[in-house]
Amino acid sequence: MMKKLVDRLLNDAVVINNSIVKVDHFINHQLDTKLIDEIGEAFSDEFPQTTKILTIESSGIAYGVSTALHLNYVPVVFARKEKSSIISDKVYHSEAFSFTKQKTSTITVSKDFLSKDDKVLIIDDFLATGSALKALVAICKQAGATVEGIGIVIEKSFLNARDLFKEEDFKILSLANITEIKNNTLTIKKDQ
Amino acid sequence: MMKKLVDRLLNDAVVINNSIVKVDHFINHQLDTKLIDEIGEAFSDEFPQTTKILTIESSGIAYGVSTALHLNYVPVVFARKEKSSIISDKVYHSEAFSFTKQKTSTITVSKDFLSKDDKVLIIDDFLATGSALKALVAICKQAGATVEGIGIVIEKSFLNARDLFKEEDFKILSLANITEIKNNTLTIKKDQ
């Protein structure tokens, strides 16, 4: 965990309901760029073998870039969320369901930008149901790339997304782990 | 202009037609993070008075963040493109037409994140018809914020977007200015 992030969440996150917190004043609409820089540093420390970062638009991009700046400028690829189901054969693709938005998107990455030579660090701002992460992992597998690890800013572990990946041998690092949201209050795991 | 970016465009950009170039291998799908860092530094040098950066999802975010890291960690706000026309009264909003995608979106920014006290540097990856930039400027005006300047990675000046802003007193800095695309070839202005 990252103490500064955890303290910020405990002080500033707004509970919307028992599964959703609003953090758009520092994580995903207005961005606290000092915090984002430190988050990038934390991910880079944990996964130094990374040769490419994969993230997903829009909220993952800031964290992907800040991590790359601490990893000797590895390239960042951000997956796109396509509304259309017309998918060209030039992209890797997988479906993901957004719990917050209650809709399914097709996640795509150009075949030009992922290959079997890549050691990929996947980065996202939230791990909730794990649907988007599962799509990103599937895309790495389609490319034959190695998933070096997963870096998540905020995990909602009460949704048990890690169960989807228990057969995998990569490490999932989350910097803040919300174990419960109840009565307008977050519970965050103190050590991991 | 930024020589490294101009050289990269002349060497690597793929001409799609007489108004569109594809740069998704280093600018807006896979990201060259060293170049992005240097672009951020160039914008920061030009607009040191900035207190907040405003950009737009998705492709602007990387450039907004890299600029903020060179401006003593000013906050970045990224505007959202909403498909829905149902807009809450909690956001500033304006319409923009995407030439590349041939569709209109409503651009929104939460009223919590822009105010009359902000000196805003607006950043985007492309200046084409100027529709998105006009929406971002309109949102700053709604908030009463001062537009400190505009930083554009790649301008297509043959589309004359600057004409939309000739009454304004802010400076528009573009790091590469494409003056013509013809017969599969870019012409880029050598000095500005």
Side-chain angles (χ1 to χ4, degrees), chain A residues 105-188:
Chain A
S105 303
T106 303
I107 309 299
T108 69
V109 171
S110 166
K111 289 184 179 174
D112 293 338
F113 306 139
L114 269 186
S115 80
K116 63 178 176 44
D117 300 326
D118 292 317
K119 295 179 180 177
V120 179
L121 171 56
I122 299 176
I123 292 207
D124 206 359
D125 58 340
F126 271 97
L127 177 60
T129 64
S131 182
L133 182 55
K134 202 175 168 194
L136 294 172
V137 170
I139 282 170
C140 287
K141 288 182 178 175
Q142 290 168 32
T146 304
V147 178
E148 187 68 18
I150 313 281
I152 298 292
V153 182
I154 301 169
E155 178 178 359
K156 296 173 180 172
S157 62
F158 59 90
L159 294 172
N160 302 312
R162 281 178 193 254
D163 290 352
L164 296 172
F165 306 103
K166 58 190 171 192
E167 307 295 317
E168 307 285 354
D169 62 359
F170 48 70
K171 175 174 182 177
I172 302 176
L173 171 69
S174 60
L175 300 180
N177 184 344
I178 301 175
T179 56
E180 190 177 57
I181 311 177
K182 207 181 244 180
N183 302 327
N184 245 10
T185 306
L186 295 182
T187 307
I188 302 185

Coordinates of all heavy atoms in Angstrom, one line a residue, chain A residues 105-188:
Chain A
S105 N -18.1 -2.7 -23.6 CA -17.3 -2.1 -24.6 C -16.4 -3.2 -25.2 O -16.1 -4.1 -24.5 CB -16.4 -1.0 -24.1 OG -17.1 0.0 -23.5
T106 N -16.0 -2.9 -26.4 CA -14.9 -3.8 -27.0 C -13.6 -3.0 -26.8 O -13.5 -1.8 -27.2 CB -15.2 -4.0 -28.5 OG1 -16.4 -4.7 -28.6 CG2 -14.1 -4.9 -29.1
I107 N -12.7 -3.7 -26.2 CA -11.4 -3.1 -25.9 C -10.4 -3.5 -27.0 O -10.3 -4.7 -27.3 CB -10.8 -3.6 -24.5 CG1 -11.8 -3.5 -23.4 CG2 -9.5 -3.0 -24.2 CD1 -12.3 -2.2 -23.1
T108 N -9.7 -2.5 -27.6 CA -8.9 -2.8 -28.7 C -7.4 -2.3 -28.6 O -7.3 -1.2 -28.0 CB -9.4 -2.3 -30.1 OG1 -9.3 -0.9 -30.1 CG2 -10.9 -2.7 -30.3
V109 N -6.5 -3.0 -29.1 CA -5.1 -2.5 -29.2 C -4.6 -2.9 -30.6 O -4.7 -4.1 -31.0 CB -4.2 -3.2 -28.2 CG1 -2.7 -2.9 -28.4 CG2 -4.6 -2.7 -26.8
S110 N -4.0 -2.0 -31.3 CA -3.4 -2.3 -32.6 C -2.4 -3.4 -32.5 O -1.6 -3.4 -31.6 CB -2.7 -1.0 -33.2 OG -1.9 -1.4 -34.3
K111 N -2.4 -4.3 -33.5 CA -1.5 -5.4 -33.5 C 0.0 -4.9 -33.7 O 0.9 -5.7 -33.4 CB -1.8 -6.4 -34.6 CG -3.1 -7.2 -34.2 CD -3.4 -8.3 -35.3 CE -4.7 -9.1 -34.9 NZ -5.1 -10.0 -35.9
D112 N 0.1 -3.7 -34.2 CA 1.5 -3.2 -34.4 C 2.2 -2.9 -33.1 O 3.4 -2.8 -33.0 CB 1.4 -1.8 -35.1 CG 0.9 -2.0 -36.6 OD1 1.0 -3.1 -37.1 OD2 0.4 -1.0 -37.1
F113 N 1.4 -2.8 -31.9 CA 2.0 -2.3 -30.7 C 2.2 -3.2 -29.6 O 2.6 -2.8 -28.5 CB 1.3 -1.0 -30.3 CG 1.1 0.0 -31.3 CD1 0.0 0.7 -31.5 CD2 2.2 0.3 -32.2 CE1 -0.2 1.7 -32.5 CE2 2.1 1.2 -33.2 CZ 0.9 1.9 -33.4
L114 N 1.9 -4.5 -29.8 CA 2.1 -5.5 -28.8 C 2.6 -6.8 -29.5 O 2.1 -7.2 -30.5 CB 0.9 -5.9 -28.0 CG 0.5 -5.2 -26.8 CD1 -0.8 -5.8 -26.2 CD2 1.6 -5.1 -25.7
S115 N 3.7 -7.4 -28.9 CA 4.2 -8.6 -29.6 C 4.8 -9.5 -28.5 O 4.8 -9.2 -27.3 CB 5.4 -8.2 -30.5 OG 6.6 -8.0 -29.8
K116 N 5.2 -10.7 -28.9 CA 5.7 -11.7 -28.0 C 7.0 -11.3 -27.3 O 7.5 -11.8 -26.3 CB 6.0 -13.0 -28.7 CG 7.0 -13.0 -29.8 CD 7.2 -14.4 -30.5 CE 8.1 -14.3 -31.6 NZ 9.4 -13.5 -31.4
D117 N 7.7 -10.2 -27.8 CA 8.9 -9.7 -27.2 C 8.6 -8.8 -26.0 O 9.6 -8.4 -25.3 CB 9.8 -9.0 -28.2 CG 10.1 -9.9 -29.4 OD1 10.3 -11.1 -29.1 OD2 10.2 -9.4 -30.5
D118 N 7.4 -8.4 -25.8 CA 7.1 -7.4 -24.8 C 6.9 -8.0 -23.4 O 6.2 -9.0 -23.3 CB 5.8 -6.6 -25.2 CG 6.0 -5.7 -26.4 OD1 7.1 -5.1 -26.5 OD2 5.2 -5.7 -27.3
K119 N 7.5 -7.4 -22.4 CA 7.2 -7.7 -21.0 C 6.4 -6.6 -20.5 O 6.9 -5.5 -20.2 CB 8.5 -7.8 -20.2 CG 9.4 -8.9 -20.7 CD 10.7 -8.9 -19.8 CE 11.6 -10.1 -20.3 NZ 12.9 -10.1 -19.5
V120 N 5.1 -6.9 -20.4 CA 4.1 -5.8 -20.2 C 3.7 -5.6 -18.7 O 3.4 -6.5 -18.0 CB 2.8 -6.2 -21.0 CG1 1.8 -5.1 -20.9 CG2 3.2 -6.4 -22.5
L121 N 3.7 -4.3 -18.3 CA 3.1 -3.9 -17.1 C 1.8 -3.3 -17.4 O 1.7 -2.3 -18.1 CB 4.0 -2.9 -16.4 CG 3.4 -2.2 -15.1 CD1 3.0 -3.2 -14.1 CD2 4.5 -1.3 -14.5
I122 N 0.7 -3.9 -16.9 CA -0.6 -3.4 -17.1 C -1.0 -2.5 -16.0 O -0.8 -2.8 -14.8 CB -1.7 -4.5 -17.2 CG1 -1.4 -5.5 -18.4 CG2 -3.1 -4.0 -17.4 CD1 -2.3 -6.7 -18.5
I123 N -1.5 -1.3 -16.3 CA -1.8 -0.3 -15.3 C -3.2 0.2 -15.4 O -3.7 0.5 -16.6 CB -0.8 0.9 -15.4 CG1 0.6 0.4 -15.0 CG2 -1.2 2.1 -14.6 CD1 1.5 1.4 -14.4
D124 N -3.9 0.3 -14.3 CA -5.2 1.0 -14.4 C -5.5 1.7 -13.1 O -4.9 1.4 -12.1 CB -6.3 -0.1 -14.7 CG -7.5 0.6 -15.4 OD1 -7.5 1.8 -15.6 OD2 -8.5 -0.1 -15.7
D125 N -6.4 2.6 -13.1 CA -6.7 3.4 -11.9 C -7.5 2.6 -10.9 O -7.3 2.6 -9.7 CB -7.4 4.8 -12.2 CG -8.7 4.6 -13.0 OD1 -8.9 3.6 -13.7 OD2 -9.5 5.6 -13.0
F126 N -8.5 1.8 -11.4 CA -9.3 1.0 -10.5 C -9.3 -0.5 -10.8 O -9.2 -0.8 -12.0 CB -10.8 1.5 -10.6 CG -11.1 2.6 -9.6 CD1 -11.1 3.9 -10.0 CD2 -11.4 2.3 -8.3 CE1 -11.4 4.9 -9.1 CE2 -11.7 3.3 -7.4 CZ -11.7 4.6 -7.8
L127 N -9.4 -1.3 -9.8 CA -9.7 -2.7 -10.0 C -11.0 -3.0 -9.3 O -11.0 -2.9 -8.0 CB -8.6 -3.7 -9.5 CG -8.9 -5.2 -9.6 CD1 -9.1 -5.6 -11.0 CD2 -7.7 -6.0 -9.0
A128 N -12.1 -3.1 -10.0 CA -13.4 -3.3 -9.4 C -13.8 -4.8 -9.7 O -13.3 -5.7 -9.0 CB -14.4 -2.3 -9.9
T129 N -14.6 -5.0 -10.7 CA -15.0 -6.4 -11.0 C -13.9 -7.1 -11.7 O -14.0 -8.4 -11.8 CB -16.3 -6.4 -11.8 OG1 -16.0 -5.8 -13.1 CG2 -17.4 -5.7 -11.2
G130 N -13.0 -6.4 -12.3 CA -11.9 -7.1 -13.0 C -12.1 -7.3 -14.5 O -11.3 -7.9 -15.2
S131 N -13.3 -6.8 -14.9 CA -13.6 -7.1 -16.3 C -12.7 -6.4 -17.3 O -12.2 -7.0 -18.3 CB -15.1 -6.6 -16.6 OG -15.4 -6.9 -17.9
A132 N -12.3 -5.1 -17.1 CA -11.4 -4.4 -18.0 C -10.0 -5.1 -17.9 O -9.3 -5.3 -18.9 CB -11.3 -3.0 -17.6
L133 N -9.6 -5.4 -16.7 CA -8.3 -6.0 -16.5 C -8.2 -7.4 -17.2 O -7.2 -7.7 -17.9 CB -7.9 -6.2 -15.0 CG -6.6 -6.8 -14.7 CD1 -5.5 -6.0 -15.4 CD2 -6.4 -6.9 -13.2
K134 N -9.3 -8.1 -17.1 CA -9.3 -9.4 -17.8 C -9.2 -9.2 -19.3 O -8.5 -10.0 -20.0 CB -10.7 -10.1 -17.5 CG -10.6 -11.6 -17.7 CD -11.9 -12.3 -17.2 CE -11.9 -13.7 -17.7 NZ -13.3 -14.3 -17.6
A135 N -9.8 -8.2 -19.9 CA -9.7 -7.9 -21.3 C -8.3 -7.5 -21.7 O -7.8 -8.0 -22.7 CB -10.7 -6.8 -21.7
L136 N -7.6 -6.8 -20.8 CA -6.2 -6.3 -21.1 C -5.3 -7.5 -21.1 O -4.4 -7.7 -21.9 CB -5.8 -5.3 -20.1 CG -6.5 -3.9 -20.3 CD1 -6.2 -3.0 -19.1 CD2 -6.3 -3.2 -21.6
V137 N -5.5 -8.4 -20.1 CA -4.7 -9.7 -20.0 C -4.9 -10.5 -21.3 O -4.0 -11.1 -21.9 CB -5.0 -10.4 -18.7 CG1 -4.4 -11.8 -18.7 CG2 -4.5 -9.6 -17.5
A138 N -6.2 -10.6 -21.7 CA -6.5 -11.4 -22.8 C -5.8 -10.9 -24.1 O -5.3 -11.7 -24.9 CB -8.1 -11.5 -23.1
I139 N -5.8 -9.6 -24.2 CA -5.1 -8.9 -25.3 C -3.6 -9.2 -25.3 O -3.0 -9.5 -26.4 CB -5.4 -7.4 -25.3 CG1 -6.9 -7.2 -25.9 CG2 -4.4 -6.6 -26.1 CD1 -7.4 -5.8 -25.7
C140 N -3.0 -9.2 -24.1 CA -1.6 -9.6 -24.0 C -1.4 -11.0 -24.5 O -0.4 -11.3 -25.2 CB -1.1 -9.4 -22.6 SG -0.9 -7.7 -22.1
K141 N -2.3 -11.9 -24.1 CA -2.1 -13.3 -24.5 C -2.3 -13.5 -26.0 O -1.6 -14.2 -26.7 CB -3.2 -14.2 -23.8 CG -2.8 -14.3 -22.3 CD -3.8 -15.2 -21.6 CE -3.3 -15.3 -20.1 NZ -4.3 -16.1 -19.3
Q142 N -3.2 -12.7 -26.6 CA -3.4 -12.8 -28.1 C -2.1 -12.4 -28.8 O -1.8 -12.9 -29.8 CB -4.5 -11.8 -28.5 CG -5.9 -12.3 -28.1 CD -7.0 -11.2 -28.3 OE1 -6.9 -10.4 -29.2 NE2 -8.0 -11.2 -27.5
A143 N -1.4 -11.4 -28.2 CA -0.2 -10.9 -28.8 C 1.0 -11.8 -28.4 O 2.1 -11.7 -29.0 CB 0.1 -9.5 -28.3
G144 N 0.8 -12.8 -27.5 CA 1.9 -13.6 -27.1 C 2.9 -12.9 -26.1 O 4.0 -13.4 -25.8
A145 N 2.5 -11.7 -25.6 CA 3.3 -10.9 -24.8 C 3.3 -11.5 -23.4 O 2.4 -12.2 -23.0 CB 2.8 -9.5 -24.7
T146 N 4.4 -11.3 -22.6 CA 4.5 -11.7 -21.2 C 3.9 -10.6 -20.3 O 4.2 -9.4 -20.5 CB 6.0 -11.9 -20.8 OG1 6.6 -12.8 -21.7 CG2 6.1 -12.4 -19.4
V147 N 3.0 -11.0 -19.4 CA 2.5 -10.0 -18.5 C 3.4 -10.0 -17.3 O 3.5 -11.0 -16.5 CB 1.0 -10.4 -18.0 CG1 0.6 -9.4 -16.9 CG2 0.1 -10.3 -19.2
E148 N 4.2 -8.9 -17.2 CA 5.2 -8.8 -16.1 C 4.6 -8.6 -14.8 O 5.0 -9.0 -13.7 CB 6.1 -7.6 -16.5 CG 7.3 -7.5 -15.7 CD 8.3 -8.6 -15.9 OE1 8.3 -9.3 -16.8 OE2 9.2 -8.7 -15.0
G149 N 3.4 -7.9 -14.8 CA 2.7 -7.6 -13.6 C 1.6 -6.6 -13.8 O 1.4 -6.2 -14.9
I150 N 0.8 -6.4 -12.7 CA -0.4 -5.5 -12.8 C -0.2 -4.4 -11.7 O 0.0 -4.8 -10.6 CB -1.7 -6.3 -12.5 CG1 -1.7 -7.6 -13.3 CG2 -2.9 -5.4 -12.7 CD1 -2.1 -7.5 -14.7
G151 N -0.4 -3.2 -12.1 CA -0.3 -2.1 -11.1 C -1.7 -1.4 -11.1 O -2.1 -0.9 -12.1
I152 N -2.3 -1.4 -9.9 CA -3.6 -0.8 -9.8 C -3.5 0.3 -8.7 O -2.9 0.1 -7.7 CB -4.6 -1.9 -9.2 CG1 -4.7 -3.1 -10.2 CG2 -6.0 -1.3 -8.9 CD1 -5.4 -2.7 -11.5
V153 N -4.1 1.4 -9.0 CA -4.1 2.5 -8.0 C -5.0 2.2 -6.8 O -4.6 2.1 -5.7 CB -4.5 3.9 -8.7 CG1 -4.4 5.0 -7.6 CG2 -3.6 4.2 -9.8
I154 N -6.3 1.9 -7.1 CA -7.3 1.6 -6.1 C -8.0 0.3 -6.4 O -8.7 0.2 -7.4 CB -8.3 2.8 -6.0 CG1 -7.6 4.1 -5.7 CG2 -9.4 2.5 -4.9 CD1 -8.5 5.3 -5.8
E155 N -7.9 -0.6 -5.5 CA -8.6 -1.9 -5.6 C -9.8 -1.9 -4.7 O -9.7 -1.5 -3.5 CB -7.6 -3.1 -5.3 CG -8.3 -4.4 -5.3 CD -7.3 -5.6 -5.0 OE1 -6.1 -5.3 -4.8 OE2 -7.8 -6.7 -5.0
K156 N -10.9 -2.5 -5.2 CA -12.1 -2.7 -4.3 C -12.1 -4.2 -4.1 O -12.8 -4.9 -4.8 CB -13.3 -2.3 -5.0 CG -13.4 -0.8 -5.2 CD -14.7 -0.5 -6.1 CE -14.8 1.0 -6.3 NZ -15.9 1.3 -7.3
S157 N -11.4 -4.7 -3.1 CA -11.2 -6.1 -3.0 C -12.4 -6.9 -2.6 O -12.5 -8.1 -2.8 CB -10.0 -6.4 -2.0 OG -10.3 -6.0 -0.7
F158 N -13.4 -6.1 -2.1 CA -14.7 -6.8 -1.7 C -15.5 -7.3 -2.9 O -16.4 -8.0 -2.8 CB -15.6 -5.9 -0.8 CG -15.9 -4.6 -1.5 CD1 -17.1 -4.5 -2.3 CD2 -15.1 -3.5 -1.4 CE1 -17.4 -3.3 -2.9 CE2 -15.4 -2.3 -2.0 CZ -16.6 -2.2 -2.8
L159 N -15.0 -6.9 -4.1 CA -15.6 -7.4 -5.4 C -14.9 -8.7 -5.9 O -15.3 -9.2 -6.9 CB -15.7 -6.3 -6.4 CG -16.6 -5.1 -6.1 CD1 -16.5 -4.0 -7.1 CD2 -18.1 -5.6 -6.0
N160 N -13.8 -9.1 -5.2 CA -13.1 -10.3 -5.5 C -12.6 -10.5 -6.9 O -12.5 -11.6 -7.4 CB -14.1 -11.5 -5.1 CG -14.6 -11.4 -3.7 OD1 -13.7 -11.3 -2.8 ND2 -15.9 -11.5 -3.5
A161 N -12.2 -9.4 -7.5 CA -11.7 -9.5 -8.9 C -10.4 -10.4 -9.0 O -10.2 -11.1 -10.0 CB -11.3 -8.2 -9.4
R162 N -9.6 -10.5 -7.9 CA -8.4 -11.4 -8.0 C -8.8 -12.8 -8.2 O -7.9 -13.6 -8.8 CB -7.6 -11.3 -6.7 CG -6.8 -10.0 -6.6 CD -6.0 -9.9 -5.3 NE -5.5 -8.5 -5.1 CZ -4.2 -8.2 -5.2 NH1 -3.3 -9.1 -5.4 NH2 -3.8 -7.0 -5.1
D163 N -10.0 -13.3 -7.9 CA -10.3 -14.7 -8.1 C -10.3 -15.0 -9.6 O -10.0 -16.1 -10.0 CB -11.8 -14.9 -7.7 CG -11.9 -14.9 -6.2 OD1 -10.8 -14.9 -5.5 OD2 -13.0 -15.0 -5.6
L164 N -10.5 -14.0 -10.5 CA -10.4 -14.2 -11.9 C -9.0 -14.6 -12.4 O -8.8 -15.1 -13.5 CB -10.8 -12.9 -12.7 CG -12.3 -12.4 -12.5 CD1 -12.4 -11.1 -13.2 CD2 -13.2 -13.4 -13.1
F165 N -8.0 -14.2 -11.6 CA -6.6 -14.3 -12.0 C -5.8 -15.3 -11.2 O -4.6 -15.3 -11.2 CB -5.9 -13.0 -12.0 CG -6.7 -11.9 -12.8 CD1 -7.5 -11.0 -12.1 CD2 -6.7 -11.9 -14.2 CE1 -8.2 -10.0 -12.8 CE2 -7.4 -11.0 -14.9 CZ -8.2 -10.0 -14.2
K166 N -6.5 -16.2 -10.4 CA -5.7 -17.0 -9.5 C -4.9 -18.1 -10.2 O -3.9 -18.6 -9.6 CB -6.6 -17.6 -8.3 CG -7.8 -18.4 -8.8 CD -8.7 -18.7 -7.6 CE -10.0 -19.4 -8.1 NZ -11.0 -19.4 -7.1
E167 N -5.2 -18.4 -11.4 CA -4.4 -19.4 -12.2 C -3.2 -18.7 -12.8 O -2.3 -19.4 -13.3 CB -5.2 -20.0 -13.3 CG -6.5 -20.7 -12.9 CD -6.3 -21.8 -11.9 OE1 -5.4 -22.6 -12.2 OE2 -7.0 -22.0 -10.9
E168 N -3.1 -17.4 -12.7 CA -2.0 -16.7 -13.4 C -0.8 -16.6 -12.5 O -1.0 -16.6 -11.3 CB -2.5 -15.2 -13.8 CG -3.8 -15.2 -14.6 CD -3.6 -15.6 -16.0 OE1 -2.5 -15.8 -16.5 OE2 -4.7 -15.7 -16.7
D169 N 0.4 -16.4 -13.1 CA 1.5 -16.3 -12.3 C 2.1 -14.8 -12.2 O 3.2 -14.6 -11.7 CB 2.6 -17.3 -12.7 CG 3.1 -17.0 -14.1 OD1 2.6 -16.1 -14.7 OD2 4.0 -17.7 -14.5
F170 N 1.3 -13.9 -12.6 CA 1.8 -12.5 -12.4 C 1.3 -11.9 -11.1 O 0.3 -12.4 -10.5 CB 1.3 -11.6 -13.5 CG -0.1 -11.6 -13.9 CD1 -1.1 -11.2 -13.0 CD2 -0.5 -12.2 -15.1 CE1 -2.4 -11.2 -13.4 CE2 -1.8 -12.3 -15.5 CZ -2.8 -11.8 -14.6
K171 N 2.0 -10.9 -10.6 CA 1.7 -10.3 -9.3 C 0.8 -9.1 -9.6 O 1.0 -8.3 -10.6 CB 3.0 -9.8 -8.7 CG 2.7 -8.9 -7.4 CD 4.0 -8.6 -6.7 CE 3.6 -7.8 -5.4 NZ 4.8 -7.4 -4.6
I172 N -0.2 -8.9 -8.8 CA -1.1 -7.7 -8.8 C -0.8 -6.9 -7.6 O -0.9 -7.3 -6.5 CB -2.6 -8.1 -8.8 CG1 -3.0 -9.1 -10.0 CG2 -3.5 -6.9 -8.8 CD1 -4.4 -9.6 -9.9
L173 N -0.3 -5.7 -7.9 CA 0.0 -4.7 -6.8 C -1.0 -3.6 -6.9 O -1.2 -2.9 -7.9 CB 1.4 -4.1 -7.1 CG 1.7 -2.9 -6.2 CD1 2.0 -3.3 -4.7 CD2 2.9 -2.1 -6.7
S174 N -1.8 -3.5 -5.7 CA -2.6 -2.3 -5.6 C -2.1 -1.4 -4.5 O -1.6 -1.9 -3.5 CB -4.1 -2.7 -5.4 OG -4.2 -3.4 -4.2
L175 N -2.2 -0.1 -4.8 CA -1.6 0.9 -3.8 C -2.5 1.2 -2.7 O -2.1 1.7 -1.6 CB -1.1 2.1 -4.6 CG 0.0 1.8 -5.6 CD1 0.4 3.1 -6.3 CD2 1.2 1.1 -5.0
A176 N -3.8 1.0 -2.9 CA -4.8 1.2 -1.8 C -5.9 0.1 -2.1 O -6.4 -0.1 -3.2 CB -5.4 2.6 -1.9
N177 N -6.3 -0.6 -1.0 CA -7.2 -1.7 -1.1 C -8.4 -1.4 -0.2 O -8.3 -1.5 1.0 CB -6.4 -3.0 -0.7 CG -7.3 -4.2 -0.9 OD1 -8.5 -4.1 -1.0 ND2 -6.6 -5.3 -0.9
I178 N -9.5 -1.1 -0.9 CA -10.7 -0.8 -0.1 C -11.4 -2.2 0.1 O -11.8 -2.9 -0.8 CB -11.7 0.1 -0.9 CG1 -11.0 1.4 -1.2 CG2 -13.0 0.3 -0.2 CD1 -11.8 2.3 -2.1
T179 N -11.5 -2.6 1.4 CA -12.1 -3.9 1.7 C -13.6 -3.8 2.0 O -14.3 -4.8 2.0 CB -11.4 -4.5 3.0 OG1 -11.5 -3.5 4.1 CG2 -9.9 -4.7 2.7
E180 N -14.1 -2.6 2.3 CA -15.5 -2.5 2.5 C -15.9 -1.0 2.4 O -15.2 -0.1 2.7 CB -15.9 -3.0 3.9 CG -17.3 -3.1 4.2 CD -17.6 -3.6 5.6 OE1 -17.2 -3.0 6.6 OE2 -18.3 -4.7 5.7
I181 N -17.2 -0.8 1.9 CA -17.8 0.5 1.9 C -19.2 0.3 2.6 O -20.0 -0.5 2.1 CB -18.0 1.1 0.5 CG1 -16.7 1.0 -0.3 CG2 -18.4 2.6 0.6 CD1 -16.9 1.5 -1.8
K182 N -19.4 0.9 3.7 CA -20.6 0.7 4.4 C -20.9 1.9 5.2 O -20.0 2.6 5.8 CB -20.5 -0.5 5.3 CG -21.8 -1.2 5.6 CD -21.6 -2.4 6.5 CE -21.9 -3.7 5.9 NZ -21.7 -4.9 6.8
N183 N -22.2 2.3 5.3 CA -22.6 3.4 6.2 C -21.8 4.7 5.8 O -21.3 5.4 6.7 CB -22.5 3.1 7.7 CG -23.3 1.9 8.0 OD1 -24.4 1.7 7.4 ND2 -22.9 1.1 9.0
N184 N -21.6 4.9 4.5 CA -20.9 6.1 4.1 C -19.4 6.1 4.5 O -18.8 7.2 4.5 CB -21.6 7.3 4.7 CG -22.1 8.2 3.6 OD1 -22.1 7.8 2.4 ND2 -22.5 9.4 3.9
T185 N -18.8 5.0 4.8 CA -17.5 4.9 5.3 C -16.7 3.9 4.6 O -17.1 2.8 4.3 CB -17.4 4.6 6.8 OG1 -18.3 5.5 7.5 CG2 -16.0 4.6 7.4
L186 N -15.4 4.3 4.2 CA -14.5 3.3 3.6 C -13.7 2.6 4.7 O -13.3 3.2 5.6 CB -13.4 4.1 2.8 CG -13.8 4.9 1.6 CD1 -12.5 5.5 1.0 CD2 -14.5 4.0 0.6
T187 N -13.4 1.3 4.4 CA -12.4 0.6 5.2 C -11.3 0.2 4.2 O -11.5 -0.3 3.1 CB -13.0 -0.7 5.8 OG1 -14.2 -0.4 6.5 CG2 -12.0 -1.4 6.7
I188 N -10.1 0.6 4.6 CA -8.9 0.4 3.7 C -7.9 -0.5 4.5 O -7.6 -0.2 5.6 CB -8.3 1.7 3.2 CG1 -9.3 2.5 2.5 CG2 -7.1 1.4 2.4 CD1 -8.8 3.8 1.9

